[in-house]
Every structure is written in C-alpha cells, then in structure tokens.
C-alpha cells in the first residue's frame, strides 16, 4: 500500500480547512441531499463529501456509510488532496497502489473509487466529493464531467455554510456587544441602587455568565492582609451536589471563608495577577482534584481586576460553549474596568456606612449621656436649693436679729455667707435652666414685649452694682418704643446677664451703653462696655459652659455658664447673639429678635432663610 503524501502547501491548506468551521459540525440537509443525488445519478451505494485533516478524513455527509471518519494514511481522498486533481480507480484490486489497502482487502471492500477535489476557498484542496462501489466499473469522461459539476455544487454549499457561520458569528458578536453595553450602562447608572440593595456582586456575576456564555462564574474581592492576599468571594454559581457541598457554597457566598492558596488556579489570579486561560482543564498543571460528584469543568478563564497596579478583585468563568481565548479577555476589558470602578465604589460605600454607623452609635451614646447629665443636674439643683434656701434664710435672721445683735465682725461674716449663698443659688438656677433647655423641657411664652421697658427694668436692678463698681450706665436713646417677639421673663434674664458682665468686667469710671437699632424685620439690642475686652483668638470660647476665659483666677464673681444660657435662651426665642471685642478696649454684645409688629401674633417659627443668611453674615463680619 502506498500512503498519500503530504502536499507542499499542507500548512496553508489546513489553515483554510479550519477557517471553514466545517469539521465535526452537525449534519446538514443540503449536503446529505447532494450525496444522495450523486449516489442515484451514478448508481453507486456510497457517496461522500470528505474533508482531509492532518491525521484523518472526516465525512461531512456519508450516504451509504455508517462511520464518520477514517485514518488519513489509508484514505483514497488523501491522494486527491496530494495530487490536486481528480482520481478514478475502476478496479482497486488491479491497481498496485491500492490493492493491499485495508479498505480494499476485505469482503465488502472498495473495488471502485472516483473522487473530485473540493476547492471552496483560496484554491486549496480541503477534501473531495467521491463515489465508492463494492464492484469494479467503468467511469467515462462524461461521468467525470458530471462529477465535477456536483463537486462545484458541494463547494457552493461549503461557501454558503461558511457565510452562514459568519453571519451567526456577527449576530452573536452584535448580541454580546449589546449585552456588554447594557451591562456597562446599568452598572454605571444604577450603581447606587445596586449598592443599596446589595445586588452588585450577583449583577456582575450574572452579567459575566451572559457575556461569555458560561455555565459557571464567580467574582470576588482581594483583601491584602498581613499573611498575604486573600480572596473574599461575593458571588458564585451554585456548584453543590450534596449537603456538605451546599454548606461550603453557603460559606463562600457569605464571605466568611477566605481563599488563600496562591498556587491554585484561583490563587495564580488573585495572588499573582496572572490571567489563566485553558480549554483543557483536565490536563492543566494547576488543576486540583475534584471530589466525586463535582460537576464536570471543561474550560476555564480567570482574570484579575486591577486598579492602579494593584489587584483588587478577580472573576472566573467555566464551561463556555465558545471556549476562551486572549481575544475574549481583550473584549472583556471594558467590563473589567467597570468592575474595578464598582469595587472601589463598593469599598467607599462600605467605609461610609461603617463610619456612619460609628457616628450614629457615638451620637446615641452622647445623647444618652446628655440626657443623663441633664437629669442629674436637674435633680441635684432641686436637692441643693432646699438646704441653700434654709441657709440664706437663717443668715438673714442672724443679720436682722434685734434681741441678740451681732458684732460688726459677725455681721461681715454673715454677709459673706449670704453673698456666697446667693452666688451659689444663682449658679444652681442657671444650671437648672440650662439642663431644662438641653432636655427640651423649657417652654417659652412668646409675646409682644416692649424692649425699652425690659431695658429700663434691668438697668434699674443693676444700678447698685454699677455704683459699687464706679461704672456709669446709659440706657437706650429716647426714641420710639419698639416691640419684639419674646418671653419677657427670659428676655430680662438675658439683658441682666449681659449688663452684669459689662459691669463686672469693666474698669473704674467706665461706661456701659445700651442701644437699639432696627434691621429690617428684626431689632438689635447692643450692650457696649469700656472694659478689659477679649482677645480675638478666644472669642469662640465665650459661649462654652464653665469657661470664664481670663477671669478664672480673678476675684470677679461668675458661674461661667451665663453666656451659654443666654445664647440658648435667645435661640429658643428664634433670635441670634453675637459679639465684637478688642483686648483692653472693650466689648459689644448684641442680640437680634424679630419685631413683633412684623410677625403674626404667637408665631413661634424661626426667621425666614434670607434673614437667617443675614444673621450668619453679620455674625461672621462681627
């Protein structure tokens, strides 16, 4: 037997053959009808459309034959391919080249063969249309011409098959491209909903399966821990086959399990940043053994998700009908970039949520502590006032007793007791008021109040303190009597505090001036002194409780919470307070309240946005 030789253009010929995408394809009616027609026309039992591969001949259509392929080295068609011309053997047993061929030397062996080369693409012979009979026969020139016509028809069918496959491929690419665009668009535009609903990872995994036509997929985040990189799987296709494997899948999905083996198929991706592609997983050197019952895995793709040169995640797919290639990875690059963006957003959202939870816990803890403090201060203030009032009462009885009058020294001592007790009572009252405000238990009755009347009453009350300190008080100028929306008792308390501070922190022969000025629909009351003033760096500390600034070590009496309480009261009346001061030149404290003639009676609402904006601007200017 003489085996067929290889043609000189064998490499290019095989490339052309594989480009046809015909090998191992499913049967097609057009090809089968053509071989049936050939068998009838030439009255032979067998007609074949054969394709000659590197080591076999494969039959796209085999009329009258059950097998689908035979070895190339015993094939008749291999000689047609090698010689690039038709071959007719009218009696194989009389031909020295074929009579000892295994396909001839049997009872039903080949006695007649006629084959015509098929050149559907680029002029390369990829196979034949051939006729086979089990008995010898004549085959004249007219029959050879007829076979050539049928071969041309077979070539046309092959070209149509290729065109159809290309159209299908274009359609699949178009569909995949549309799917990719849809996934990218949804991932970018709906990322907030995906994050909030914790659907991000499942969305990415299902999109990956759809894009690659894969049965299985996973996607995870790479955590760079002290022991080395670890993979936290966020989404994975169910691969379970029994109760134990289902528990393992649940652990993986929950994120409680970390994968850390850097030498596995997954580890080469998440630990080393390698891209792993294989269409023969069973023989891959990194493949680990699968336990009995594990679903079969034929091909595999693992791709790292990289941001700024650092692996932050990975995805993997398996069992794609189309297989995987570097072109697949390149085509998925936009998806990869979107994954990187979404993983970074996921991390930022997670960090934000963690910080928000910590802030919420801290706020709740602070509110509980504040309520506890307010409740404690309120309770203690009530408990302290009862014995303190008794002390003040007995001190007054001692000072005014006529039956057993006190000596001059004792009178001074009792006066000191009364002065200290009254100072302590004022402190307790201020603390009680502040705790009520902070606890939300102080209710103010806002009404139209004459500012002049309140100012006159406060100035009259503090006249003795001013005379003792050699400070001159000047009330507001004799103008119209403006009214503001305020609680009269609390407004007087505010003015008493501002005026007493202006007197106590003044200098001998100093002055305190009260002025009124209208600002649109508000009235500003200013208290200006010629005292020691406050450095600009410490003005922000003025309204902090128990902070007396430079007066901590002085002999000036004070509680350190008067201005804090004043600000709280003014804000409760929907007003504003501010201060300007210069060291050693004096200070000017001002409050602003809504004018009563510009607000509906009993209106407790805060000032409009425009007014509030002006308040903030003037406060910053001040």
């Amino acid at each position: 037997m003489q085996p067929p030789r290889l043609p000189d253009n064998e490499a290019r010929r095989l490339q052309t053959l594989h480009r046809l995408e015909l090998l191992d394809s499913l049967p097609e009616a057009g090809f089968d009808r053509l071989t049936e027609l050939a068998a009838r026309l030439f009255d032979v039992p067998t007609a074949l459309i054969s394709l000659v591969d590197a080591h076999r001949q494969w039959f796209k259509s085999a009329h009258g034959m059950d097998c689908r392929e035979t070895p190339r080295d015993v094939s008749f068609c291999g000689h047609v391919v090698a010689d690039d011309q038709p071959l007719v053997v009218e009696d194989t047993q009389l031909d020295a080249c074929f009579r000892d061929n295994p396909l001839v030397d049997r009872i039903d062996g080949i006695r007649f063969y006629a084959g015509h080369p098929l050149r559907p693409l680029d002029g390369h012979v990829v196979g034949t249309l051939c006729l086979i009979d089990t008995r010898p026969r004549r085959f004249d020139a007219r029959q050879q011409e007829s076979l050539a016509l049928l071969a041309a028809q077979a070539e046309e069918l092959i070209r149509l098959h290729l065109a159809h496959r290309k159209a299908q491929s274009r359609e699949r690419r178009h569909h995949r491209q549309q799917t990719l665009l849809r996934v990218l668009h949804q991932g970018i535009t709906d990322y907030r909903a995906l994050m909030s609903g914790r659907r991000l990872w499942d969305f990415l995994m299902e999109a990956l399966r759809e894009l690659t036509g894969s049965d299985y997929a996973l996607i995870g985040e790479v955590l760079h821990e002290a022991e080395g990189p670890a993979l936290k799987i966020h989404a994975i296709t169910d691969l379970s086959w029994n109760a134990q494997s289902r528990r393992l899948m649940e652990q993986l999905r929950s994120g409680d399990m970390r994968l850390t083996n850097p030498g596995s198929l997954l580890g080469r991706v998440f630990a080393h940043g390698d891209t792993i592609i294989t269409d023969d997983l069973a023989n891959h050197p990194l493949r680990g053994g699968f336990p009995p019952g594990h679903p079969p895995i034929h091909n595999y793709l693992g791709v790292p998700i990289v941001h700024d040169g650092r692996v932050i995640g990975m995805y993997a797919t398996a069992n794609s009908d189309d297989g995987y290639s570097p072109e697949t990875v390149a085509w998925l690059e936009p998806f990869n970039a979107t994954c990187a963006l979404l993983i970074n957003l996921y991390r930022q959202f997670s960090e934000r949520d963690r910080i928000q939870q910590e802030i919420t816990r801290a706020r709740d803890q602070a509110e509980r502590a504040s309520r506890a403090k307010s409740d404690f201060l309120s309770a203690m203030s009530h408990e302290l006032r009862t014995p303190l009032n008794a002390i003040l009462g007995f001190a007054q009885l001692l000072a005014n007793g006529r039956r057993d009058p006190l000596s001059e020294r004792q009178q001074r001592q009792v006066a000191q007791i009364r002065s200290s007790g009254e100072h302590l009572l004022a402190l307790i009252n201020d603390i009680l008021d502040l705790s009520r405000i902070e606890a939300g238990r102080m209710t103010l009755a806002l009404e139209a109040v004459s500012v002049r009347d309140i100012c006159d009453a406060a100035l009259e009350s503090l006249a003795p303190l001013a005379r003792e300190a050699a400070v001159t008080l000047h009330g507001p100028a004799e103008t119209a009597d403006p009214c503001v929306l305020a609680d009269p008792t609390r407004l007087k308390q505010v003015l008493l505090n501002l005026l007493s501070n202006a007197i106590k922190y003044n200098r001998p022969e100093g002055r305190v001036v009260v002025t009124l000025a209208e600002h649109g629909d508000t009235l500003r009351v200013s208290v200006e002194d010629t005292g020691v003033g406050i450095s600009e760096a410490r003005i922000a500390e003025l309204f902090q409780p128990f902070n007396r600034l430079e007066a901590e070590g002085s002999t000036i009496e004070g509680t350190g919470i008067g201005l804090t309480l004043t600000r709280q009261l003014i804000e409760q009346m929907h007003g504003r307070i501010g201060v300007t001061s210069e060291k050693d030149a004096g200070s000017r404290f001002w409050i602003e309240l809504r004018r009563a003639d510009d607000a509906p009676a009993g209106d407790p609402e805060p000032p409009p946005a425009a007014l509030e904006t002006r308040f903030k601007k003037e406060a910053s200017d001040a």
Side-chain angles (χ1 to χ4, degrees), residues 95-106:
D95 192 303
C97 181
F98 296 104
R99 61 189 174 194
D100 56 349
N101 188 295
L103 300 178
V104 174
D105 189 16
R106 59 189 185 187

Side-chain angles (χ1 to χ4, degrees), residues 351-367:
E351 180 67 13
R352 184 201 64 182
D353 290 344
R354 185 188 65 79
I355 294 174
Q356 186 63 44
Q357 290 173 1
E358 290 181 357
I359 291 174
T360 300
R361 285 195 295 269
R363 181 199 63 199
D364 293 343
Q365 184 178 0
E367 288 178 352

